[in-house]
Amino acid sequence: MDVVDHLIEPAGDPVPPGARVGIVETVDRVRLRWATFEAARPRGTVLLLQGRAEYIECYYETIRDLQARGLSVVTFDWRGQGGSQRLTGNPRKGHVPTVAAYDFDLDAILRHVAPASPKPWYVLAHSTGGLVAIANRARLAGEIRRLVLIAPFLGLGTVGPAEPIARALARGLRAVGFGRDWIPAGGATPIHTMPFDKNFLTSDPVRHAKGAETSWRHPELAIGSPTVGWLAAAFDAMDRVLTPEALAAWRMPALIFSCGDDCVVSNAAIERFSSRTTATDHLVIPGARHELLKERDRFRE
């Protein structure tokens, strides 16, 4: 699949003002779609790191909210999803062999895109984006002032098998050559098109419908379930960032939001991280599901 070199405007969800969009190539020659959105009188910039299976268009509402607060936004699609280059022949597979591959993506944005945006810089990261941000603590320390993590993917929730089983299964299947296959019971159907009464991402029917319609109308942006290799790689990354040594070395000023009704990621793992690191605050939003920025107003605000 070719990269998407423009922004799409879903019905009723206009592109935020001050938009610029382009393609940047990483050091390992993967092409990423990026976008920047300048605030009218910027007093800083938010680097917005999306979760797995998301894309820039998912965050238009949040970007407009940040602009209204005087914050410009820099964001991009991770390799293997959204408008960025896929790494397998099947464009619905957002496969990466290692989560460390996302480090190249973040580095390309910090080097070639973000410098045009005003400082101070902040990071707002969701789910997988949160895991990548934590793994890049040393890289970000000299660049950003504050870090906000929403439901960071530090452990598996209750949506599938228990994490010890999922870990053994993913790593075992990867070891015998099934890394590029869907996880068991997975497939090409985009997660955002799940019927509302069966979805576990948001309790807001309007925002859910908007995301589902965009995925249906623009399938070039959407991906399906994780691959075996992607999940095994995520577990590898979790193990690295949750070692006693890594937790003791954490000095990044951070605020973590976890969602009370989240079944995608482990709130217990988030609590362990926040309680064992320095300069980390942790807030739980009771009743909210995994995608807090696409939740009902009472949670989102």
Side-chain angles (χ1 to χ4, degrees), residues 55 61 190-216 289 291 294-296:
Y55 38 84
E61 183 178 16
I191 191 171
H192 292 101
T193 63
M194 185 180 296
F196 176 71
D197 60 353
K198 295 181 180 178
N199 102 92
F200 39 77
L201 300 178
T202 176
S203 63
D204 187 304
V206 175
R207 290 187 174 101
H208 174 270
K210 186 183 297 182
E213 182 176 5
T214 303
S215 290
W216 282 120
R289 297 183 188 177
E291 292 190 343
K294 298 160 200 168
E295 258 291 4
R296 286 179 285 160

Side-chain angles (χ1 to χ4, degrees), residues 102-160:
Y102 292 139
D103 298 355
F104 295 133
D105 301 354
L106 183 58
D107 183 70
I109 299 302
L110 289 171
R111 287 178 182 273
H112 304 299
V113 179
S117 295
K119 288 191 172 184
W121 292 349
Y122 308 89
V123 164
L124 174 61
H126 175 246
S127 197
T128 299
L131 175 60
V132 178
I134 292 170
N136 280 270
R137 167 189 56 82
R139 175 71 174 89
L140 293 172
E143 304 277 9
I144 69 165
R145 178 173 291 182
R146 297 285 188 274
L147 176 67
V148 177
L149 306 173
I150 298 175
F153 189 28
L154 296 175
L156 195 62
T158 59
V159 71

Side-chain angles (χ1 to χ4, degrees), residues 44-65:
T45 299
V46 171
L47 177 59
L48 178 57
L49 306 182
Q50 60 190 236
R52 195 201 77 85
E54 295 182 318
Y55 38 84
I56 295 168
E57 287 79 1
C58 291
Y59 285 94
Y60 282 175
E61 183 178 16
T62 294
I63 291 167
R64 290 192 294 269
D65 289 342

Side-chain angles (χ1 to χ4, degrees), residues 28-49:
D28 61 338
R29 297 192 171 184
V30 176
R31 291 170 295 155
L32 309 176
R33 181 179 66 153
W34 60 264
T36 62
F37 303 87
E38 186 175 346
R41 289 185 293 275
R43 55 187 180 89
T45 299
V46 171
L47 177 59
L48 178 57
L49 306 182

